[in-house]
Amino acid sequence: MKIRSQPSTRRAEALSRDRIVDAAIEILDADGDSGLTFRALGARLQTGSGAIYWHVADRQALLDTATDHVIASVMEKGVEGAPPDAIRTIALGVFDAIEAHSWIGTHLTRAPWQIAMIRIVEGLGVQIQQLGVPAEAQFDAWSTLINYILGVAGQNAANGRALPPGTDRSQSLSAMVDRWARNNSKPLPFLESIAKQLVEHDDRAQFLAGVDLILRGIDRNLP
Amino acid sequence: MKIRSQPSTRRAEALSRDRIVDAAIEILDADGDSGLTFRALGARLQTGSGAIYWHVADRQALLDTATDHVIASVMEKGVEGAPPDAIRTIALGVFDAIEAHSWIGTHLTRAPWQIAMIRIVEGLGVQIQQLGVPAEAQFDAWSTLINYILGVAGQNAANGRALPPGTDRSQSLSAMVDRWARNNSKPLPFLESIAKQLVEHDDRAQFLAGVDLILRGIDRNLP
DNA sequence: ACCTAGATGGAACGCCGTTCCATAGGCGTC
DNA sequence: GACGCCTATGGAACGGCGTTCCATCTAGGT
C-alpha cells in the first residue's frame, strides 16, 4: 500500500477503501474472524488481493478499520444521563456491538491502542472524571473498568468461536457441566454450586451487574 | 491422534506427551505464541509432525496442556491467609505467570473452559464463598473478578505482542501519547490527563489495585 | 522366527498473508 | 488526436502454516 495523493474516482465501480471495509464487515458478520481472507474479499469484490493491498496496509489494518467503523457509530451517539448512567450506556453499547458482531470482541482484545479502543477508553475516562472521582483515583477506576469490559469482550468472542451459531448454548453448557461431574479428578464445589446460573444466566444482564459492581467499588456511595 | 492404551516406553529417547509439552513451553517462552509451530517442534525434538500428532490432538490441545502445566503449579501451592488475601494471592499468581510466559495470556483468553481456566475459576470461586458473600451475590462477584483478570491477561499479552522484548516500554508509550497530541482530530482530554500515569505506572501494582477495587465492590466493608 | 499393533517421520495437501509484476486506465501535455 | 505517465489493477508466485497420509520401523507376544 502506498499513500494515496488524490481521491480520484477515475473508473466507474472503482475499488476504494470504503468498499473494501464494507465488504470485509459483511464477510466478518457472516463467517467470523477466520472467514475474512484476502481471497474471500477478492472474490466478493471481483478483484485480486494485489488490488486490495493497494488500498489497505494489511489484514490487521483492515480489522482496525472495520472495528472502528462499528465502534464509532456506538460512541458517537451522544451520551445522555448522569455519569453513572452514561457509563452504563457506553458499556452496554460496546457489549451490544460485540454481540452483534462477535469478531469485534476478538480484534478489540488483540490489538492494543487501535483507533476503536482509543474511542472507548477516552469516552469512559471522561465519564469517570464527571462522576467526580478524585483525580488520584481516576486511573485505577478507569483501568479496572476497561479491563473488565475487554475481559467480557474476549470471553464473549471466545465462546462464540467455541459454540458457532446454531449451537444450543444452554444445552452445550449443560453438557460441559456434566462432563465435570464425571471427570471429577478434583471436586469442583464452587462450579457445581453455580452450575445452574452458568447455564441459565443472561449474558447482557450479567455484564451489567459487573459494571455496577465496579461502579460500587469506585464509589461506595453509589446505588 | 489415537487413544493410547499402554504407557510403554519401548524405545530409548521415546517421544512422549510430556517431552512434547516441555519442548513446546521452551519454544513458547523463547519465541511466543507464533513461534510454536509443528515444524519448530519437530526440529527441536528431531522428529516429524506426524509423530507429534500421534501424541497430541492438535495445536489447541497442546496449548491447553502447556497452559495448564504452568497454571497448575500456580494454583496448587496452598492458599494461605484470610479470603480477601487468598484472592489477591491467586490473582497475583496468575498475573505473574502471565508476565513470565506471555503466551499464557493469549491462550487463556482464547480458549474458554480449558483445564487451566477451570482451575482458576474454581479456585477463585471457593475463596469468594469463604469471603462470606451471600449465595445470591456470589455469581456476580465471581464473574466480575474472572472477567477482569482475563481482561488484564489479554491486554498484557496484546501489549507484549505489540512491543516485543527489548522494546523500551515507556519510550514507545510516550511516542504513542505524542502521536495523539499531533493527530488530534478529536481532543482526548482524559487520555491526556492520565498520560503520565499511563507511561509510568507499574502493571502489577495496577492490576492489584483493580482487584482491590472489585473486592470493595463485592463487599463495601472491605478495606 | 514371525506377526502385529504401537510409533515414527517425512512428504503432500490445501490453506493463509503478503509480495511481485506485467498491464490497463484516464489525465495532462503537446 | 497522440503520447506519456502515474495511479490502479488482478492474478501468479512465495514461503509458511496446521493437518493428514502413508510407508516404514520396532519391540513385545506367540
Side-chain angles (χ1 to χ4, degrees), chain B residues 15 45 48-49 52 58 76 85-86 90 101-102 126 129-130 138 141 158 173-174 178 180 184 187 207 213 215 217 219:
Chain B
L15 204 52
L45 294 169
S49 48
I52 298 170
D58 56 17
E76 269 167 7
D85 281 333
I90 295 175
H101 315 273
S102 71
V126 168
Q129 287 179 319
Q130 301 209 342
Q138 288 176 8
L173 268 172
S174 303
D178 284 350
W180 298 340
N184 57 343
F207 169 69
L213 190 151
L215 286 173
D219 178 351

Side-chain angles (χ1 to χ4, degrees), chain B residues 188-210:
Chain B
L188 301 170
F190 179 75
L191 283 173
E192 273 159 32
S193 82
I194 59 155
K196 189 158 178 278
Q197 289 167 86
L198 211 48
V199 172
E200 293 175 356
H201 80 271
D202 172 70
D203 281 350
R204 193 172 192 269
Q206 195 57 42
F207 169 69
L208 193 53

Side-chain angles (χ1 to χ4, degrees), chain A residues 187-200:
Chain A
L188 301 171
F190 179 76
L191 282 173
E192 273 159 33
S193 82
I194 58 155
K196 189 159 178 274
Q197 288 166 87
L198 211 48
V199 173
E200 293 176 355

Side-chain angles (χ1 to χ4, degrees), chain A residues 28-195:
Chain A
L28 286 163
D29 284 346
D31 303 324
D33 185 78
S34 68
L36 181 68
T37 69
F38 281 84
R39 284 164 180 81
L41 213 40
R44 180 172 291 243
L45 294 168
Q46 307 210 79
T47 182
S49 48
I52 297 170
Y53 269 96
W54 199 90
H55 296 274
V56 158
D58 56 18
R59 195 183 123 98
Q60 154 118 331
L62 181 52
L63 280 165
D64 279 0
T65 311
T67 301
D68 190 51
H69 188 90
V70 175
I71 292 295
S73 77
V74 170
M75 299 300 296
E76 268 166 9
K77 52 176 113 167
V79 180
E80 67 276 4
D85 280 333
I87 288 175
R88 291 186 188 100
T89 304
I90 294 175
L92 282 179
V94 173
F95 182 90
D96 290 340
I98 290 168
E99 287 259 293
H101 315 273
S102 72
W103 49 275
I104 291 186
T106 306
H107 187 64
L108 218 45
T109 53
R110 259 176 144 18
W113 303 113
Q114 60 182 291
I115 330 172
M117 179 80 89
I118 290 185
R119 258 186 237 276
I120 296 172
V121 300
E122 170 69 23
L124 286 169
V126 167
Q127 292 305 321
I128 282 178
Q129 287 179 321
Q130 301 208 343
L131 196 57
V133 177
E136 70 278 10
Q138 288 176 9
F139 188 65
D140 286 354
W142 171 81
S143 90
T144 308
L145 189 57
I146 297 295
N147 278 306
Y148 169 71
I149 291 173
L150 290 176
V152 174
Q155 284 316 101
N156 249 51
N159 285 326
R161 234 175 294 123
L163 322 174
T167 320
D168 180 333
R169 194 184 84 125
S170 75
Q171 191 176 324
S172 73
L173 269 172
S174 302
M176 196 188 54
V177 171
D178 284 350
R179 224 176 307 133
W180 298 341
R182 265 176 280 116
N183 278 27
N184 57 342
S185 61
K186 289 205 173 184
L188 301 171
F190 179 76
L191 282 173
E192 273 159 33
S193 82
I194 58 155

Side-chain angles (χ1 to χ4, degrees), chain B residues 34-46:
Chain B
S34 68
L36 181 70
T37 68
F38 281 84
R39 283 162 181 82
L41 213 39
R44 179 172 290 243
L45 294 169
Q46 308 211 77

Side-chain angles (χ1 to χ4, degrees), chain B:
Chain B
M1 179 188 156
K2 299 174 185 172
I3 302 299
R4 186 158 71 265
S5 47
Q6 303 159 347
S8 81
T9 13
R10 311 216 280 197
R11 279 170 230 210
E13 282 300 307
L15 204 52
S16 72
R17 201 179 147 87
D18 281 348
R19 279 189 64 218
I20 293 171
V21 172
D22 287 347
I25 292 178
E26 287 173 29
I27 294 174
L28 286 163
D29 284 346
D31 303 323
D33 184 80
S34 68
L36 181 70
T37 68
F38 281 84
R39 283 162 181 82
L41 213 39
R44 179 172 290 243
L45 294 169
Q46 308 211 77
T47 183
S49 48
I52 298 170
Y53 269 96
W54 199 90
H55 295 274
V56 157
D58 56 17
R59 197 183 121 97
Q60 154 118 331
L62 182 52
L63 279 164
D64 279 1
T65 311
T67 301
D68 190 51
H69 188 91
V70 175
I71 291 295
S73 77
V74 170
M75 298 301 296
E76 269 167 7
K77 51 176 117 167
V79 180
E80 67 277 3
D85 281 333
I87 288 175
R88 291 186 188 99
T89 304
I90 295 175
L92 282 178
V94 174
F95 181 89
D96 290 340
I98 289 168
E99 287 258 295
H101 315 273
S102 71
W103 48 276
I104 291 186
T106 306
H107 187 64
L108 218 43
T109 52
R110 260 178 145 20
W113 302 112
Q114 61 182 291
I115 329 172
M117 179 80 89
I118 290 185
R119 261 186 235 276
I120 295 172
V121 300
E122 171 69 22
L124 286 169
V126 168
Q127 292 305 321
I128 281 178
Q129 287 179 319
Q130 301 209 342
L131 196 58
V133 177
E136 70 278 10
Q138 288 176 8
F139 188 65
D140 287 353
W142 170 82
S143 90
T144 308
L145 189 57
I146 297 295
N147 279 306
Y148 170 71
I149 292 173
L150 290 175
V152 174
Q155 285 315 103
N156 249 51
N159 285 327
R161 234 175 294 124
L163 322 173
T167 319
D168 179 334
R169 195 185 83 125
S170 74
Q171 191 177 323
S172 74
L173 268 172
S174 303
M176 195 189 56
V177 172
D178 284 350
R179 222 175 310 134
W180 298 340
R182 262 176 283 114
N183 276 29
N184 57 343
S185 62
K186 287 204 174 182
L188 301 170
F190 179 75
L191 283 173
E192 273 159 32
S193 82
I194 59 155
K196 189 158 178 278
Q197 289 167 86
L198 211 48
V199 172
E200 293 175 356
H201 80 271
D202 172 70
D203 281 350
R204 193 172 192 269
Q206 195 57 42
F207 169 69
L208 193 53
V211 173
D212 285 341
L213 190 151
I214 290 172
L215 286 173
R216 277 201 305 280
I218 292 173
D219 178 351
R220 299 183 197 218
N221 302 319
L222 247 45

